[in-house]
Amino acid sequence: AHTGIISAPHARPPAERINWRLVNGRRRLPRAAMGAQISCVQTEWCRATPTAEVILAVDGQSSNTPGLPNDDGQGDELVPGDLVGHQVSTGSVQRLVIMERVCRKGSGSSVNGCSTAEGSIGASARGSSASTGSRSRACRAMAVLQVASALAVPPERVDKSRLAAFSDALENAGLDLERWGVNGTKSVEHLFWEAYQQRGCFITGLSGGLLKRVTRLVKIRLTAEIFGVTHTLFSRMQFMHDGQTIERRQVPLRRLAWKASLESELCTASPEVDQMWFEEACPYTQDWRTGCQKALEERLGLSSLWQKAHLAEDPSLYSYTTEDNVVSDGYPGLNTLYCIHEVTFRVVDPEHPAVGLIGLPQGQEFATTEGDFNFNGTIAEDSLPIGSQLNIWTWDRVPAKGTPGTPRRFSSGDLPLPISEPAIAQRPMRRNGSSVSQEEERAIMRVPLSSTTPQAMAKMQARLVDLDQNSGIPPAPALHAVMKGMQTNWEKVKSIARNILDPKYTLEKYNQDLSAFPELNLYLFPESSGDAGPVAVTKTSSMSSGRTIGDEYQRTVGCFFAIYWLMRLQADGKEGFSFGVDAKWAPIGFEETEKQPYPKDKRVKFYQEGKWDHFKQLFIDAGLLKEERRLFGRGSVLKVNEKRLVSLLALTAIHDIMKMAVLLPEVQQKDAPYHGYAAGDTISDHDHALSYLMDHYPDLLPSFRDLDPEEKRAVHFTQCNLCFNHGWFVQAEAPPGAVFTKFRDTLIRDHKSQVGKQDVALYFVHWLTDLAGAEPTPLGGCEKFVVKFPLEVLNSFLRSFEYVQKITEHTETEVMEEYLKVRWVEHVPSPGPLPTGDSAIAKMRILCMAQTKACHYVRAFNELPEEDREVLNVELARTGTLCQSYSHDLVPHDVHVSPAGPAFLVYYGPAFLQNLGSDDPKTRLSVLAEVYRRARELWATNVAKAATNVIIRVDMIKSLTVDQMVEATVKGDVWLMMKHNESEAFIERCSKRKLNKLIASGQHIQILDLSGVSTEE
């Protein structure tokens, strides 16, 4: 294993470089070899020395625990086996294990140990210098791809005489080279390599005249839909050849190569004279489209054929800009001219197996190495080739164009003036008459700040400045400081509840009234822990409206707007939810096609096919709306439960404030432990952090503090972890015990059975409105659902809420059985009469799992061999609960009278059935039966385990055809079910050589018999 330690001092700017060290070979690591870092690990993450540590390990094969130094100072062998969990063989692709250990000081900061969908590691090593400490750690494995080298050159092969002449010329031009190659700056050797080996830039004025570095770049924005949300690929951490580490957020880029034949001509030219340097089509460099292809090949290892097959360019997002006389951070004193082509590519099908090498479809991190990055241990530590590097890539949510990357403090004097009108919903035009891009259109669908926000934020800022000079009041000093004396304007909140169904109560007035909640301004604070001040409210670079760009603020307002529209479905709610509003805050109608935002087709489909009655029913079930009979005439009328709506609005105001890391509380001694956090720990989970304040310090939350006790309990319940996987229920993927048992335990243990059906419904209303506002474009409607979320899945979720609520009054199996029957009866096209007999539950679960392919599988089920049909009848009928069974006329007699276990949850079972392709549905059902059969061999039936559930993962075969599975066996491999622990097994492809090793080691395995399931005639 090759191991490196990265140490980053606290309060370090996110782009500053920090040194790392690579230790070659698998050997014992003495304390002296690692210095203070390893000894710090042993003393509880360096309590005395505030550092952040990252441990890298590559190609670990051992399953031993990573060693720490012994008292003899010799140290143990560092191996990554336990960090990986289980080894994955991917041919020539290596595996990298990264454990990021962060020592955090002070209660006013929070540290993420790893990158997430919301941020990057750049924020993870920052904090304050208070006397108390807390700590976190994250560990994961990722693929390492060896990509084409960008002309990496070993230092000993650099032309020393030419390098010396180059260095002298720079010094003669007035540059202080003593500042280069230290404190995070690049070296002269690196610039020499960049200019003369890579030909990525050239330097003018070396022989006299204006000294300037000129470089032309292509920057690639690679996007993909991950769980319905657009993400962009960024490099979040880069390990350089010279032992430096850069924590940053950078898209793939490449310098365009200058033509070697023009070297002497270019170096004597002057940028003030030769305007061709500024031209988009510059004759001196390679074509920028060729540069795009090369960038993807050299940075990500994506061949040109792969690019053609899986990427699509968005021409509307192409841009070309120049930035002249930029002071270089990497080369102090050297001005630079940048000419930048920005290109956007979209991954056509994130679910395609071939895109797995870049972390899709789940958005996993991966790493790439360029040049010989010393993974083979043959190159000395101090002589890595110049140009070698390792990048860690992460998929991150796409920010609005022009969003700044670094928050800053501000005063009331530099806040933009609020605007009075929202963006026009139709696609706007530039001054030259051209349409703006889709991304720019989204960027302006944001609400303006209220007129009181600048003053409120300036007041909060002043309080935080004062806090820096005092100790603060626990458990959340920053929150206590900014909320001191704040009150919720309950009269205005109650006015919202009274008027929300009034046709004259507009969205604009509603938005103004939301200022009643003092917590709303907290969403303009930074999400990272690097600053103690609010996020600056700045202007987007591509617009001049002065509109706020705080995404969390916009998302929270989007949640409020979702409540407004869903409460008003009988008026204008459907239109606002689907199409958003125009420049006068009026909802855009179905017929107003010229105003409807992009994409119109998805919005129209949602408007026409969305299950609006299910939305309304959920709000009624939650007690937000009441249906009352008309005093005169027929029918009923909807009335607002004002007390309940006030609670929902208050919940929406506070539900995500703990995402602002500076506000996170620290567990006090009298409250410890709390959800696994010890005294002195900062609660980094934002839901647990909010629950902690609700439990012990409600006075810090004015909009929660003043609610009635009954409503407080309902609001608090929405923040608990129900351990409820909605997909398992909707797709009948799991037995009732796996779906509901922990849910019921939470209701009974944590809430003493005081939670009723209305409270569970309120939980799902909050879940729904929170997700509806997930896109920071509230004026464009609820785009998360309307544009991004599969409508069929949403409709299934909406239909299921009515049944999930019944868990407060019925058993897990009763709820599941009723839901399965409804899904069968309501399925279109009809699969026939409601089934009975031994196969009934099996058929109903298969219908839910197969979704649009349901009728094919229901017909094929009756054609299965009797042995396969019996296996599915029995295993799909097990409940995974204690003393519960489905109705006697729906399952086999033995299963009903003698419940036993464990029950099996075939993880990705629905995906396996839905990926039918050209397969015969009968053969896929036979494979599924074989999976259950092998699982039962590994876990024998036992009455004592009736309430146990075991997960069987079929990730490896979910997208394969049956013939592809059989083909693997023809080539000599086998498909194994391998038992990894007492609650989990995996399907894996295995060579016979590896099979023998597994047998010899005593591994619990079963071989899948696919001899009778081939689709070939």
Side-chain angles (χ1 to χ4, degrees):
H2 304 282
T3 308
I5 298 289
I6 304 149
S7 296
H10 267 284
R12 186 177 294 279
E16 189 168 337
R17 296 166 179 81
I18 51 180
N19 289 332
W20 66 280
R21 178 166 183 167
L22 191 65
V23 177
N24 295 326
R26 167 176 279 202
R27 56 188 176 86
R28 295 172 65 84
L29 303 176
R31 189 185 303 270
M34 287 302 182
Q37 288 81 13
I38 286 290
S39 60
C40 291
V41 174
Q42 193 168 3
T43 58
E44 298 189 348
W45 313 114
C46 186
R47 188 177 294 274
T49 307
T51 64
E53 297 178 342
V54 180
I55 295 180
L56 301 179
V58 179
D59 277 346
Q61 299 299 321
S62 172
S63 60
N64 299 326
T65 303
L68 297 177
N70 297 323
D71 292 337
D72 61 6
Q74 294 301 309
D76 293 328
E77 185 176 63
L78 249 93
V79 290
D82 275 1
L83 307 185
V84 178
H86 62 280
Q87 300 298 320
V88 179
S89 177
T90 53
S92 62
V93 178
Q94 297 173 299
R95 301 293 288 177
L96 176 143
V97 181
I98 180 168
M99 175 185 285
E100 293 173 283
R101 297 170 172 171
V102 179
C103 175
R104 181 172 57 235
K105 292 288 183 181
S107 60
S109 66
S110 174
V111 180
N112 255 335
C114 59
S115 69
T116 68
E118 297 293 331
S120 73
I121 191 66
S124 70
R126 301 188 298 248
S128 62
S129 57
S131 59
T132 59
S134 57
R135 54 202 178 273
S136 64
R137 107 177 180 181
C139 166
R140 62 205 172 281
M142 64 186 73
V144 182
L145 308 177
Q146 177 72 45
V147 301
S149 172
L151 297 175
V153 178
E156 62 270 15
R157 294 181 58 184
V158 174
D159 187 330
K160 302 296 184 182
S161 61
R162 192 177 182 190
L163 174 60
F166 178 70
S167 179
D168 290 342
L170 294 176
E171 286 188 324
N172 292 336
L175 295 180
D176 182 6
L177 299 188
E178 291 186 1
R179 299 167 54 198
W180 289 30
V182 296
N183 299 324
T185 62
K186 295 181 181 179
S187 64
V188 175
E189 290 81 3
H190 196 282
L191 180 60
F192 182 82
W193 167 82
E194 181 184 308
Y196 297 109
Q197 260 76 41
Q198 191 188 44
R199 298 206 318 278
C201 73
F202 68 87
I203 314 298
T204 69
L206 288 175
S207 302
L210 179 65
L211 189 68
K212 181 175 291 189
R213 170 172 165 257
V214 181
T215 185
R216 297 178 66 88
L217 303 172
V218 59
K219 299 173 71 172
I220 297 177
R221 191 166 174 270
L222 187 59
T223 67
E225 293 268 330
I226 300 175
F227 302 119
V229 178
T230 300
H231 285 63
T232 299
L233 186 67
F234 295 96
S235 168
R236 71 170 181 86
M237 186 177 288
Q238 185 179 72
F239 302 91
M240 303 295 291
H241 73 280
D242 57 359
Q244 297 190 96
T245 299
I246 307 173
E247 301 182 36
R248 46 85 178 283
R249 192 171 181 268
Q250 185 183 86
V251 299
L253 58 82
R254 183 183 188 275
R255 297 180 184 88
L256 299 178
W258 295 84
K259 296 179 180 178
S261 60
L262 300 173
E263 180 178 320
S264 60
E265 176 185 344
L266 292 172
C267 291
T268 57
S270 171
E272 281 72 21
V273 176
D274 195 343
Q275 291 300 313
M276 290 300 293
W277 292 0
F278 294 85
E279 294 297 326
E280 184 173 355
C282 177
Y284 301 142
T285 62
Q286 68 183 140
D287 179 68
W288 65 268
R289 289 193 175 277
T290 303
C292 284
Q293 178 182 321
K294 290 293 185 182
L296 292 171
E297 286 180 356
E298 295 176 0
R299 283 297 159 92
L300 299 175
L302 307 178
S303 69
S304 57
L305 292 177
W306 190 99
Q307 296 174 39
K308 291 178 181 178
H310 301 291
L311 300 182
E313 182 186 351
D314 187 343
S316 67
L317 297 182
Y318 167 78
S319 67
Y320 174 77
T321 58
T322 61
E323 301 174 11
D324 199 5
N325 293 318
V326 178
V327 178
S328 174
D329 292 329
Y331 305 111
L334 181 60
N335 280 5
T336 301
L337 165 63
Y338 292 100
C339 303
I340 305 169
H341 300 267
E342 294 191 59
V343 191
T344 299
F345 289 94
R346 173 179 54 85
V347 178
V348 177
D349 180 10
E351 298 284 342
H352 195 285
V355 303
L357 78 168
I358 56 172
L360 296 175
Q362 289 89 3
Q364 296 171 320
E365 289 193 338
F366 63 98
T368 59
T369 62
E370 301 176 29
D372 190 345
F373 196 72
N374 209 6
F375 277 165
N376 57 19
T378 61
I379 298 177
E381 178 185 348
D382 60 353
S383 60
L384 285 175
I386 301 173
S388 298
Q389 57 183 269
L390 181 146
N391 280 282
I392 295 179
W393 300 93
T394 189
W395 291 94
D396 200 354
R397 285 192 181 191
V398 181
K401 192 168 185 178
T403 300
T406 306
R408 64 177 178 89
R409 295 188 178 216
F410 65 96
S411 64
S412 58
D414 62 15
L415 286 169
L417 293 176
I419 60 172
S420 58
E421 292 186 351
I424 299 175
Q426 64 188 16
R427 181 164 294 180
M429 309 291 287
R430 294 192 180 92
R431 291 181 179 179
N432 62 9
S434 63
S435 296
V436 302
S437 68
Q438 296 167 15
E439 184 172 323
E440 289 172 319
E441 178 185 8
R442 287 172 53 78
I444 65 174
M445 290 181 179
R446 298 176 173 239
V447 296
L449 291 174
S450 71
S451 59
T452 61
T453 298
Q455 293 80 6
M457 293 304 297
K459 185 177 181 180
M460 289 182 177
Q461 174 67 22
R463 291 183 174 185
L464 286 178
V465 172
D466 293 340
L467 180 65
D468 292 339
Q469 302 169 358
N470 299 289
S471 59
I473 299 177
L479 181 63
H480 186 278
V482 298
M483 296 305 294
K484 184 178 180 180
M486 295 287 186
Q487 299 289 333
T488 302
N489 187 338
W490 289 110
E491 286 303 316
K492 186 176 287 188
V493 175
K494 292 175 182 177
S495 174
I496 295 175
R498 282 196 306 271
N499 297 319
I500 198 163
L501 296 186
D502 187 342
K504 297 180 181 179
Y505 187 61
T506 66
L507 184 68
E508 181 180 20
K509 181 64 168 68
Y510 174 73
N511 181 60
Q512 294 169 355
D513 288 346
L514 294 178
S515 63
F517 296 104
E519 296 91 349
L520 199 55
N521 288 329
L522 297 177
Y523 292 99
L524 294 172
F525 274 61
E527 291 183 57
S528 70
S529 59
D531 263 326
V535 161
V537 183
T538 61
K539 299 178 182 179
T540 56
S541 60
S542 58
M543 303 291 165
S544 59
S545 63
R547 186 170 289 107
T548 176
I549 56 173
D551 276 3
E552 277 306 322
Y553 179 86
Q554 297 292 333
R555 292 188 184 108
T556 303
V557 172
C559 298
F560 276 115
F561 284 12
I563 295 170
Y564 174 87
W565 285 321
L566 291 174
M567 291 288 292
R568 296 166 60 94
L569 290 179
Q570 292 184 314
D572 53 11
K574 290 189 291 185
E575 288 76 11
F577 196 97
S578 303
F579 304 111
V581 297
D582 62 18
K584 297 182 179 179
W585 291 88
I588 298 172
F590 173 69
E591 303 293 339
E592 297 179 278
T593 56
E594 74 286 353
K595 290 185 177 182
Q596 291 169 3
Y598 176 90
K600 295 182 181 181
D601 55 340
K602 288 188 176 181
R603 295 175 184 272
V604 169
K605 176 181 173 70
F606 190 94
Y607 179 84
Q608 293 179 322
E609 300 179 15
K611 300 296 184 182
W612 300 108
D613 285 345
H614 294 341
F615 280 111
K616 184 182 80 171
Q617 187 60 52
L618 179 61
F619 273 58
I620 292 173
D621 292 343
L624 296 162
L625 292 170
K626 300 179 290 185
E627 277 190 311
E628 296 182 356
R629 294 179 60 87
R630 295 182 183 273
L631 294 177
F632 303 98
R634 298 180 179 179
S636 60
V637 63
L638 286 178
K639 298 285 187 181
V640 177
N641 182 340
E642 296 178 14
K643 179 180 176 182
R644 191 69 159 180
L645 180 57
V646 164
S647 299
L648 177 61
L649 294 172
L651 167 62
T652 304
I654 66 174
H655 78 289
D656 271 346
I657 60 173
M658 290 296 118
K659 286 184 177 179
M660 313 306 119
V662 69
L663 305 177
L664 290 171
E666 184 179 277
V667 177
Q668 301 301 292
Q669 184 67 46
K670 65 182 182 64
D671 308 321
Y674 187 83
H675 288 286
Y677 292 93
D681 283 351
T682 298
I683 305 177
S684 57
D685 181 281
H686 71 274
D687 289 327
H688 284 160
L690 185 62
S691 291
Y692 177 70
L693 296 180
M694 289 179 174
D695 281 335
H696 301 290
Y697 301 91
D699 286 348
L700 292 177
L701 305 169
S703 297
F704 174 77
R705 175 190 61 208
D706 299 330
L707 295 175
D708 291 344
E710 183 179 350
E711 293 302 310
K712 279 185 180 179
R713 186 178 64 247
V715 168
H716 195 179
F717 174 67
T718 65
Q719 299 304 298
C720 71
N721 182 6
L722 294 180
C723 300
F724 177 64
N725 189 314
H726 216 128
W728 286 359
F729 178 63
V730 170
Q731 299 182 110
E733 184 174 4
V739 175
F740 284 121
T741 296
K742 291 184 179 179
F743 193 149
R744 280 180 60 85
D745 287 348
T746 300
L747 300 180
I748 296 170
R749 182 188 64 248
D750 297 342
H751 296 273
K752 302 177 177 59
S753 299
Q754 295 178 332
V755 173
K757 287 177 59 177
Q758 277 196 351
D759 299 324
V760 175
L762 184 68
Y763 178 98
F764 288 115
V765 166
H766 174 59
W767 175 86
L768 194 73
T769 54
D770 187 24
L771 195 55
E775 294 298 316
T777 52
L779 298 175
C782 295
E783 293 191 331
K784 174 63 177 181
F785 282 144
V786 176
V787 176
K788 301 287 182 87
F789 211 84
L791 181 57
E792 295 76 12
V793 175
L794 175 61
N795 286 340
S796 296
F797 279 16
L798 289 170
R799 187 68 182 97
S800 71
F801 289 144
E802 175 185 349
Y803 300 92
V804 178
Q805 299 161 30
K806 297 183 179 183
I807 196 65
T808 60
E809 301 170 352
H810 299 272
T811 67
E812 298 93 316
T813 306
E814 288 171 344
V815 173
M816 178 68 85
E817 180 177 322
E818 185 177 359
Y819 177 70
L820 291 175
K821 290 178 178 178
V822 169
R823 285 291 301 275
W824 183 281
V825 170
E826 295 182 353
H827 192 274
V828 178
S830 173
L834 192 68
T836 57
D838 291 357
S839 299
I841 291 297
K843 288 181 178 179
M844 286 188 278
R845 284 189 63 184
I846 288 171
L847 175 136
C848 293
M849 285 194 283
Q851 293 187 14
T852 58
K853 309 293 194 307
C855 289
H856 298 290
Y857 283 105
V858 170
R859 287 193 295 268
F861 188 90
N862 296 322
E863 302 172 4
L864 284 172
E866 183 177 355
E867 180 185 9
D868 290 346
R869 193 165 59 248
E870 288 181 357
V871 168
L872 294 175
N873 288 347
V874 170
E875 299 302 345
L876 289 170
R878 298 199 187 279
T879 64
T881 59
L882 189 63
C883 301
Q884 293 183 29
S885 177
Y886 293 103
S887 298
H888 67 90
D889 59 339
L890 303 179
V891 296
H893 176 74
D894 290 345
V895 176
H896 178 74
V897 298
S898 301
F904 298 123
L905 188 169
V906 178
Y907 203 86
Y908 286 119
F912 176 76
L913 295 183
Q914 292 160 29
N915 290 324
L916 179 59
S918 59
D919 278 351
D920 183 342
K922 183 174 68 174
T923 62
R924 289 189 88 80
L925 284 176
S926 291
V927 173
L928 183 63
E930 177 65 6
V931 169
Y932 278 110
R933 192 179 292 116
R934 294 305 114 212
R936 186 52 65 196
E937 291 296 327
L938 290 176
W939 281 275
T941 306
N942 189 329
V943 175
K945 294 185 177 181
T948 304
N949 293 275
V950 168
I951 295 177
I952 310 297
R953 297 189 64 115
V954 296
D955 314 38
M956 291 286 289
I957 64 172
K958 67 180 173 120
S959 301
L960 299 179
T961 66
V962 173
D963 282 344
Q964 287 172 329
M965 288 182 268
V966 173
E967 183 182 1
T969 65
V970 173
K971 293 181 178 180
D973 291 345
V974 294
W975 291 101
L976 288 183
M977 181 178 295
M978 185 180 301
K979 184 176 182 180
H980 281 253
N981 51 54
E982 288 303 316
S983 59
E984 191 174 38
F986 289 74
I987 300 293
E988 300 180 8
R989 181 174 175 174
C990 178
S991 67
K992 290 181 179 177
R993 181 180 179 181
K994 182 179 178 181
L995 176 62
N996 288 330
K997 290 183 178 180
L998 293 173
I999 294 173
S1001 65
Q1003 181 71 44
H1004 296 285
I1005 57 175
Q1006 284 285 309
I1007 299 175
L1008 270 64
D1009 181 7
L1010 302 180
S1011 58
V1013 298
S1014 175
T1015 60
E1016 295 181 355
E1017 294 294 335

